[in-house]
Amino acid sequence: PCSALGPDSLAMWQVLLSSNWVDVEKDFQELFERHERKAEYLFQTKLGDYTYRVNLSTGQQTNLTTGRTRQIRKVDPATQHVVPLPGSEAFSDALASTAGGEGGGPEYQVWVDGGWKKISRRDLDAIAANVANMNLVFKIDGDRTVDMNDNTITRPDGMVRRIRLMDGAAGIKGAMKRSATTTMGATTGTVATPEKIPGEKCTEPFKRTFAAHDFNGDQYIQKTELTRKWVEQAVQVAAEEKTETEELIKCAVDQIYQDMDIDQSNRVNQAEWVHYWLLEETTPSFHAARMVQNQIRSWSGRDNGFLARLTDAFEQGDVDNDGDIDMNEMKAVCERLVASGRTTPEVAGAKKHLDRRDELDPYREFNYFDFVSELLGRDKNEVWLYQYDISNGKASWAAPVLLWQRMEGVWHTGVVVYEKEYWFGGKIFESDPGTTPFGTPVKKIKLGETNANKDELWDLLATTLVREYTRESYDVLTHNCNCFSEEVSQFLLAQHIPDEVRLQPQKVMDSTVAKMLRPALNKWLGGFDVNAVDKQRAASKEQADQIWEQLGVGSIVTFSPMEGGRPVVAEILAKEETTCDLRFWEPTGGVVGGTFVEIQGATRAQVQPFRGNPQYKTGRVAQRRASIQNLAMSKSVMVTDEAKSTQCDIFGGYCVSPGKEEGTAA
């Protein structure tokens, strides 16, 4: 359900749905408690049409049917405050050992000025260390209060900002990197971002690695040479799979060069290299990074020194060398740029920043992505909620009589942004505003402005929400168009839609009239097809499933370890009904080359054909299982006993054997 948690709830287990912590269903409550009593913290189970993978000790629940991972938590019934997760002590120790680091610590973001941004490294370290010790209310720098019970940071002036844990950030990507380092370290060396020498600029490590990759010594990294070197290194690790490895590396280099090579010359200079890796470290999403790259590409074609000036300006502005620029440092940078007298984009952006400083958060810090976005300008788009009264005005007089409730209307809603309206009616639709089958909107409410772009939203709809919002799952009371609008609003703005819409099902759920009308309304409101509206497109579950069916062993795909993260180019090693095993080459800015990473349990929502074409293949014929597993999609390190095919979680202390849905304590 999309409704908020009721004040009288005594639930012990909750799940994060659309940024609301809500009670898990009764069947799940009983299941979680049963496994907790047996100290079985990792298990798979099937409820209804869905198969779930649950890790109680790390607080994650993955729907293997839809591919979506959600956070779960345990709360005190009286206070609704979070309590330590069962079996989490070993996990907390592991979390503390990597808190905030590149080695896989949790990644939090804060909502600032219309978009999510990465929290500064200093704040990230403080949050991660406190969370690892189960300290959920604490202060940062002695003046800002962090409350992890409601995911907020409160400033001394009373302003409250939302924070969130990135999906999968305390999960699959970090665990995979550590597993790869542990397993392959003797062969390929440690895989990490370049080690920073105390006191040096944040750009210096990447300049050193540029020199290490400049194989010809001509101040460029050639695409052909980088491909050849990476293939050589990768084949040393996987000599028995030479052909498959060569094809995979070629596609991986192509993917990176698509974004790194600003001038599309098939060679990369130092400014492009440093810029790419700084952006990789700090961008809130892959789509946001690509948008910045496109902006820079449009200017670099006319001004060869543009990108170098940007990275130099950031380097000079980061006075304390912590990778972030505070408001005072930003002011000094912008004043120097304006004083240069150039008529270039970064100077125009500096002038705009100085003019609007009074509108900005005085505590704001700019990482590299924020810095570039501030100087180049990132377009904001207005977000509106269109409300349609499907009772045609009858609710205002009928509701008090039939439901003993006052209602202005029975609401269907759509979210309007990017000059399109997005709505759910059995499928997810994108149409021209006001052209839905529901007539003219009764209300048009501006919800806010977002920095997210259209590609980001469609990616969410077509890969994640498309399998949750279907004709079969539609329910006029618990999973309807307004639940969809709430999800979109949370994604774009990190805020709720109006309560009169969001909470309306709670008011009528127990009424006899609502129960009588429920089947008919479900059939009508959840039964629209692709011909429902002219000039529209629909995110189709059937189309997503068809793409998944076209993929098989040896297919080259892009794999997104966490929501919004950079997709990596991977090869399918083995495939099951809803998940697959993958192998991919993980390049870094830290060392020459990278290492292979293998995982099991990647969901179909995380996998897309390389460049949208399922015909890209490595030539692999025989299926094999991945050699490293992270079944819990968490920080738990998974190992596999090949002889018995038993999957064990070292931190959690349990094993799962083939054909068994429940874990065994170990």
Side-chain angles (χ1 to χ4, degrees):
C2 63
S3 53
L5 180 67
D8 298 328
S9 173
L10 296 179
M12 291 297 295
W13 285 97
Q14 296 177 343
V15 60
L16 189 63
L17 295 177
S18 301
S19 296
N20 301 314
W21 286 105
V22 302
D23 302 357
V24 302
E25 297 175 5
K26 181 180 178 181
D27 289 343
F28 267 113
Q29 294 279 3
E30 296 173 352
L31 183 68
F32 289 4
E33 291 300 320
R34 184 168 68 250
H35 281 282
E36 182 182 355
R37 287 194 299 270
K38 296 179 180 179
E40 298 170 351
Y41 306 130
L42 173 67
F43 56 91
Q44 286 186 194
T45 188
K46 186 167 184 177
L47 288 177
D49 296 330
Y50 298 117
T51 300
Y52 295 90
R53 181 172 59 207
V54 180
N55 191 332
L56 299 181
S57 66
T58 60
Q60 288 179 311
Q61 170 189 291
T62 299
N63 185 326
L64 295 179
T65 307
T66 66
R68 193 161 189 188
T69 297
R70 286 189 166 95
Q71 296 177 55
I72 57 175
R73 70 178 185 179
K74 191 175 183 181
V75 298
D76 182 285
T79 65
Q80 291 293 301
H81 284 181
V82 180
V83 299
L85 291 167
S88 60
E89 293 80 5
F91 172 67
S92 297
D93 291 341
L95 184 62
S97 69
T98 59
E102 184 64 21
E107 180 179 319
Y108 290 92
Q109 295 184 338
V110 61
W111 184 264
V112 177
D113 195 25
W116 291 105
K117 62 162 286 185
K118 290 189 175 182
I119 289 179
S120 69
R121 294 174 184 173
R122 183 176 64 253
D123 289 355
L124 180 62
D125 288 341
I127 291 173
N130 277 278
V131 170
N133 292 316
M134 297 301 171
N135 183 18
L136 301 179
V137 181
F138 52 90
K139 288 187 178 294
I140 295 179
D141 295 335
D143 58 0
R144 287 171 294 152
T145 301
V146 177
D147 188 339
M148 299 305 295
N149 290 302
D150 57 7
N151 293 334
T152 59
I153 295 181
T154 303
R155 298 185 335 197
D157 61 4
M159 177 174 283
V160 179
R161 295 206 181 279
R162 292 277 311 284
I163 60 175
R164 69 173 181 176
L165 175 67
M166 282 294 289
D167 286 350
I172 191 165
K173 193 171 180 65
M176 287 188 298
K177 283 190 176 181
R178 287 199 303 282
S179 298
T181 301
T182 301
T183 305
M184 298 182 173
T187 304
T188 62
T190 300
V191 180
T193 50
E195 183 176 352
K196 186 174 181 292
I197 300 171
E200 75 173 348
K201 295 291 186 182
C202 65
T203 55
E204 288 302 318
F206 297 113
K207 291 179 180 178
R208 289 198 301 274
T209 59
F210 175 81
H213 285 82
D214 181 12
F215 305 115
N216 297 328
D218 59 358
Q219 301 303 306
Y220 288 97
I221 298 175
Q222 308 284 343
K223 181 178 180 181
T224 54
E225 183 67 7
L226 183 61
T227 302
R228 185 178 67 83
K229 287 289 186 181
W230 279 6
V231 167
E232 286 178 1
Q233 294 166 347
V235 168
Q236 289 177 7
V237 179
E240 71 284 0
E241 299 177 318
K242 183 176 184 295
T243 301
E244 297 91 333
T245 295
E246 288 178 350
E247 293 302 316
L248 182 59
I249 295 298
K250 289 176 184 177
C251 291
V253 174
D254 282 346
Q255 177 88 346
I256 287 179
Y257 259 79
Q258 181 179 347
D259 295 313
M260 186 185 289
D261 184 11
I262 297 294
D263 61 6
Q264 303 294 286
S265 63
N266 288 329
R267 63 180 191 174
V268 171
N269 60 34
Q270 179 177 276
E272 290 173 318
W273 179 269
V274 172
H275 164 77
Y276 175 86
W277 291 110
L278 284 175
L279 206 61
E280 178 81 0
E281 258 193 355
T282 57
T283 185
S285 78
F286 163 71
H287 291 289
R290 177 156 288 182
M291 186 174 68
V292 166
Q293 292 291 69
N294 289 338
Q295 287 179 286
I296 290 175
R297 184 168 286 125
S298 68
W299 277 98
S300 293
R302 291 169 278 176
D303 182 353
N304 291 333
F306 173 59
L307 187 57
R309 291 197 306 272
L310 272 182
T311 55
D312 288 347
F314 182 77
E315 180 180 280
Q316 294 170 18
D318 184 17
V319 176
D320 51 5
N321 303 326
D322 65 351
D324 294 292
I325 295 177
D326 63 27
M327 285 291 285
N328 291 330
E329 293 169 339
M330 188 68 177
K331 179 181 179 183
V333 170
C334 290
E335 287 174 343
R336 284 196 296 270
L337 289 172
V338 172
S340 71
R342 289 190 296 268
T343 56
T344 52
E346 77 274 17
V347 175
K351 290 178 180 178
K352 289 181 181 179
H353 172 82
L354 294 174
D355 289 341
R356 75 183 194 102
R357 281 181 61 82
D358 292 341
E359 304 171 10
L360 299 178
D361 181 354
Y363 290 86
R364 183 169 182 181
E365 294 183 324
F366 298 83
N367 60 31
Y368 183 71
F369 172 84
D370 301 327
F371 175 80
V372 173
S373 297
E374 182 73 5
L375 294 187
L376 296 185
R378 189 178 180 192
D379 292 337
K380 285 189 175 183
N381 294 277
E382 292 185 349
V383 182
W384 291 76
L385 187 74
Y386 279 22
Q387 292 182 216
Y388 302 83
D389 179 12
I390 61 174
S391 76
N392 290 322
K394 297 181 178 65
S396 59
W397 58 265
V401 176
L402 299 176
L403 303 174
W404 299 91
Q405 302 269 357
R406 288 195 174 276
M407 290 185 182
E408 186 178 352
V410 177
W411 301 119
H412 164 88
T413 59
V415 175
V416 176
V417 63
Y418 319 122
E419 299 181 349
K420 292 292 182 181
E421 182 170 356
Y422 298 89
W423 55 283
F424 171 52
K427 296 181 183 293
I428 296 174
F429 293 95
E430 176 195 75
S431 58
D432 291 339
T435 64
T436 71
F438 305 100
T440 303
V442 176
K443 292 184 179 182
K444 298 179 181 180
I445 300 174
K446 183 178 178 180
L447 298 177
E449 297 182 345
T450 183
N451 280 331
N453 62 48
K454 189 174 183 179
D455 288 341
E456 289 178 89
L457 176 59
W458 189 254
D459 185 57
L460 173 79
L461 303 183
T463 62
T464 301
L465 299 189
V466 68
R467 289 190 175 91
E468 291 192 348
Y469 287 86
T470 65
R471 183 190 300 263
E472 293 75 22
S473 70
Y474 187 95
D475 188 284
V476 70
L477 296 179
T478 62
H479 195 69
N480 56 35
C481 57
N482 302 322
C483 300
F484 172 78
S485 295
E486 170 74 2
E487 291 235 35
V488 174
S489 178
Q490 289 290 343
F491 176 78
L492 296 175
L493 301 168
Q495 72 181 45
H496 294 301
I497 60 176
D499 284 352
E500 68 165 335
V501 176
R502 183 171 65 95
L503 302 181
Q504 190 172 68
Q506 289 186 358
K507 298 178 180 180
V508 302
M509 190 170 295
D510 294 329
S511 70
T512 302
V513 173
K515 292 176 181 177
M516 290 174 57
L517 295 177
R518 193 174 194 172
L521 290 174
N522 285 346
K523 184 176 181 180
W524 170 40
L525 299 173
F528 294 103
D529 60 23
V530 293
N531 299 314
V533 185
D534 293 333
K535 297 181 181 179
Q536 55 82 36
R537 64 172 171 169
S540 167
K541 174 182 178 296
E542 292 76 18
Q543 184 179 10
D545 289 343
Q546 184 179 14
I547 292 173
W548 171 255
E549 292 300 323
Q550 291 175 341
L551 300 175
V553 173
S555 291
I556 297 178
V557 298
T558 54
F559 165 61
S560 299
M562 59 180 159
E563 181 183 316
R566 171 178 63 87
V568 296
V569 177
E571 174 195 18
I572 294 181
L573 301 175
K575 185 185 174 194
E576 298 178 349
E577 183 179 356
T578 60
T579 62
C580 61
D581 292 10
L582 297 175
R583 176 181 76 140
F584 62 87
W585 180 255
E586 178 71 345
T588 73
V591 294
V592 178
T595 189
F596 273 117
V597 181
E598 296 188 2
I599 64 162
Q600 290 183 10
T603 67
R604 55 186 176 180
Q606 296 176 296
V607 173
Q608 294 295 317
F610 180 64
R611 293 184 175 168
N613 186 348
Q615 300 307 312
Y616 281 97
K617 297 181 183 294
T618 63
R620 181 180 300 278
V621 177
Q623 173 170 293
R624 75 167 176 85
R625 300 310 302 265
S627 60
I628 297 174
Q629 187 183 34
N630 179 30
L631 182 65
M633 308 243 335
S634 69
K635 285 190 174 304
S636 304
V637 174
M638 303 301 299
V639 297
T640 300
D641 179 340
E642 295 293 348
K644 299 179 181 178
S645 300
T646 299
Q647 305 151 356
C648 300
D649 185 314
I650 297 171
F651 289 155
Y654 36 74
C655 298
V656 178
S657 298
K660 292 186 177 181
E661 293 184 346
E662 299 187 357
T664 301

